[in-house]
PDB file of all heavy atoms in Angstrom:
ATOM      1  N   ALA A 183      -9.570  22.077  26.837  1.00 93.00           N
ATOM      2  CA  ALA A 183      -8.688  22.713  27.756  1.00 93.00           C
ATOM      3  C   ALA A 183      -7.474  23.385  27.213  1.00 93.00           C
ATOM      4  O   ALA A 183      -6.781  24.111  27.887  1.00 93.00           O
ATOM      5  CB  ALA A 183      -8.144  21.604  28.829  1.00 93.00           C
ATOM      6  N   GLY A 184      -7.306  23.223  25.839  1.00 94.00           N
ATOM      7  CA  GLY A 184      -6.222  23.885  25.121  1.00 94.00           C
ATOM      8  C   GLY A 184      -4.848  23.353  25.391  1.00 94.00           C
ATOM      9  O   GLY A 184      -3.832  24.061  25.183  1.00 94.00           O
ATOM     10  N   VAL A 185      -4.707  22.073  25.794  1.00 96.00           N
ATOM     11  CA  VAL A 185      -3.492  21.564  26.081  1.00 96.00           C
ATOM     12  C   VAL A 185      -2.786  20.824  24.920  1.00 96.00           C
ATOM     13  O   VAL A 185      -1.600  20.461  24.991  1.00 96.00           O
ATOM     14  CB  VAL A 185      -3.493  20.581  27.314  1.00 96.00           C
ATOM     15  CG1 VAL A 185      -3.981  21.292  28.555  1.00 96.00           C
ATOM     16  CG2 VAL A 185      -4.308  19.342  27.011  1.00 96.00           C
ATOM     17  N   ILE A 186      -3.577  20.563  23.897  1.00 97.00           N
ATOM     18  CA  ILE A 186      -3.149  19.878  22.706  1.00 97.00           C
ATOM     19  C   ILE A 186      -2.428  20.867  21.746  1.00 97.00           C
ATOM     20  O   ILE A 186      -3.033  21.862  21.381  1.00 97.00           O
ATOM     21  CB  ILE A 186      -4.210  19.150  21.991  1.00 97.00           C
ATOM     22  CG1 ILE A 186      -4.758  18.029  22.909  1.00 97.00           C
ATOM     23  CG2 ILE A 186      -3.729  18.456  20.703  1.00 97.00           C
ATOM     24  CD1 ILE A 186      -6.072  17.403  22.359  1.00 97.00           C
ATOM     25  N   ASP A 187      -1.222  20.518  21.221  1.00 96.00           N
ATOM     26  CA  ASP A 187      -0.602  21.438  20.275  1.00 96.00           C
ATOM     27  C   ASP A 187      -0.564  20.808  18.883  1.00 96.00           C
ATOM     28  O   ASP A 187      -0.296  21.535  17.925  1.00 96.00           O
ATOM     29  CB  ASP A 187       0.777  21.759  20.747  1.00 96.00           C
ATOM     30  CG  ASP A 187       1.748  20.571  20.817  1.00 96.00           C
ATOM     31  OD1 ASP A 187       2.341  20.240  19.760  1.00 96.00           O
ATOM     32  OD2 ASP A 187       1.865  19.957  21.883  1.00 96.00           O
ATOM     33  N   GLU A 188      -0.907  19.505  18.781  1.00 97.00           N
ATOM     34  CA  GLU A 188      -0.938  18.928  17.486  1.00 97.00           C
ATOM     35  C   GLU A 188      -1.949  17.758  17.377  1.00 97.00           C
ATOM     36  O   GLU A 188      -1.981  16.942  18.327  1.00 97.00           O
ATOM     37  CB  GLU A 188       0.499  18.283  17.024  1.00 97.00           C
ATOM     38  CG  GLU A 188       0.466  17.706  15.550  1.00 97.00           C
ATOM     39  CD  GLU A 188       1.794  17.219  15.208  1.00 97.00           C
ATOM     40  OE1 GLU A 188       2.589  16.695  16.073  1.00 97.00           O
ATOM     41  OE2 GLU A 188       2.091  17.199  13.994  1.00 97.00           O
ATOM     42  N   TYR A 189      -2.761  17.860  16.368  1.00 97.00           N
ATOM     43  CA  TYR A 189      -3.802  16.854  16.117  1.00 97.00           C
ATOM     44  C   TYR A 189      -3.422  15.995  14.962  1.00 97.00           C
ATOM     45  O   TYR A 189      -3.240  16.471  13.831  1.00 97.00           O
ATOM     46  CB  TYR A 189      -5.162  17.459  15.839  1.00 97.00           C
ATOM     47  CG  TYR A 189      -5.684  18.284  16.980  1.00 97.00           C
ATOM     48  CD1 TYR A 189      -5.224  19.614  17.309  1.00 97.00           C
ATOM     49  CD2 TYR A 189      -6.773  17.809  17.778  1.00 97.00           C
ATOM     50  CE1 TYR A 189      -5.679  20.323  18.316  1.00 97.00           C
ATOM     51  CE2 TYR A 189      -7.281  18.551  18.871  1.00 97.00           C
ATOM     52  CZ  TYR A 189      -6.707  19.788  19.118  1.00 97.00           C
ATOM     53  OH  TYR A 189      -7.236  20.540  20.173  1.00 97.00           O
ATOM     54  N   CYS A 190      -3.317  14.601  15.229  1.00 97.00           N
ATOM     55  CA  CYS A 190      -3.011  13.678  14.177  1.00 97.00           C
ATOM     56  C   CYS A 190      -4.287  12.820  14.041  1.00 97.00           C
ATOM     57  O   CYS A 190      -4.570  12.029  14.933  1.00 97.00           O
ATOM     58  CB  CYS A 190      -1.824  12.791  14.518  1.00 97.00           C
ATOM     59  SG  CYS A 190      -0.311  13.770  14.747  1.00 97.00           S
ATOM     60  N   VAL A 191      -4.978  13.014  12.956  1.00 97.00           N
ATOM     61  CA  VAL A 191      -6.281  12.321  12.808  1.00 97.00           C
ATOM     62  C   VAL A 191      -6.329  11.518  11.517  1.00 97.00           C
ATOM     63  O   VAL A 191      -6.027  12.043  10.427  1.00 97.00           O
ATOM     64  CB  VAL A 191      -7.374  13.341  12.789  1.00 97.00           C
ATOM     65  CG1 VAL A 191      -8.748  12.672  12.583  1.00 97.00           C
ATOM     66  CG2 VAL A 191      -7.416  14.175  14.080  1.00 97.00           C
ATOM     67  N   THR A 192      -6.578  10.217  11.567  1.00 96.00           N
ATOM     68  CA  THR A 192      -6.815   9.360  10.409  1.00 96.00           C
ATOM     69  C   THR A 192      -8.345   9.330  10.147  1.00 96.00           C
ATOM     70  O   THR A 192      -9.100   9.062  11.041  1.00 96.00           O
ATOM     71  CB  THR A 192      -6.315   7.993  10.739  1.00 96.00           C
ATOM     72  OG1 THR A 192      -4.856   8.044  10.970  1.00 96.00           O
ATOM     73  CG2 THR A 192      -6.536   7.016   9.542  1.00 96.00           C
ATOM     74  N   ILE A 193      -8.652   9.592   8.885  1.00 96.00           N
ATOM     75  CA  ILE A 193     -10.066   9.463   8.459  1.00 96.00           C
ATOM     76  C   ILE A 193     -10.155   8.164   7.606  1.00 96.00           C
ATOM     77  O   ILE A 193      -9.625   8.084   6.519  1.00 96.00           O
ATOM     78  CB  ILE A 193     -10.509  10.683   7.727  1.00 96.00           C
ATOM     79  CG1 ILE A 193     -10.400  11.918   8.618  1.00 96.00           C
ATOM     80  CG2 ILE A 193     -11.974  10.509   7.267  1.00 96.00           C
ATOM     81  CD1 ILE A 193     -10.903  13.213   7.941  1.00 96.00           C
ATOM     82  N   ALA A 194     -10.953   7.242   8.063  1.00 94.00           N
ATOM     83  CA  ALA A 194     -11.150   6.016   7.399  1.00 94.00           C
ATOM     84  C   ALA A 194     -12.258   6.159   6.399  1.00 94.00           C
ATOM     85  O   ALA A 194     -13.276   6.797   6.661  1.00 94.00           O
ATOM     86  CB  ALA A 194     -11.427   4.839   8.358  1.00 94.00           C
ATOM     87  N   PRO A 195     -12.137   5.562   5.128  1.00 94.00           N
ATOM     88  CA  PRO A 195     -13.224   5.695   4.176  1.00 94.00           C
ATOM     89  C   PRO A 195     -14.401   4.740   4.478  1.00 94.00           C
ATOM     90  O   PRO A 195     -14.662   3.845   3.724  1.00 94.00           O
ATOM     91  CB  PRO A 195     -12.527   5.329   2.871  1.00 94.00           C
ATOM     92  CG  PRO A 195     -11.499   4.355   3.322  1.00 94.00           C
ATOM     93  CD  PRO A 195     -11.013   4.828   4.677  1.00 94.00           C
ATOM     94  N   VAL A 196     -14.996   4.968   5.644  1.00 89.00           N
ATOM     95  CA  VAL A 196     -16.081   4.108   6.167  1.00 89.00           C
ATOM     96  C   VAL A 196     -17.160   4.944   6.657  1.00 89.00           C
ATOM     97  O   VAL A 196     -17.068   5.996   7.277  1.00 89.00           O
ATOM     98  CB  VAL A 196     -15.522   3.252   7.339  1.00 89.00           C
ATOM     99  CG1 VAL A 196     -16.653   2.443   8.007  1.00 89.00           C
ATOM    100  CG2 VAL A 196     -14.393   2.395   6.901  1.00 89.00           C
TER     101      VAL A 196
END
Side-chain angles (χ1 to χ4, degrees):
V185 300
I186 298 171
D187 64 86
E188 183 178 31
Y189 294 77
C190 300
V191 179
T192 296
I193 300 180
V196 174

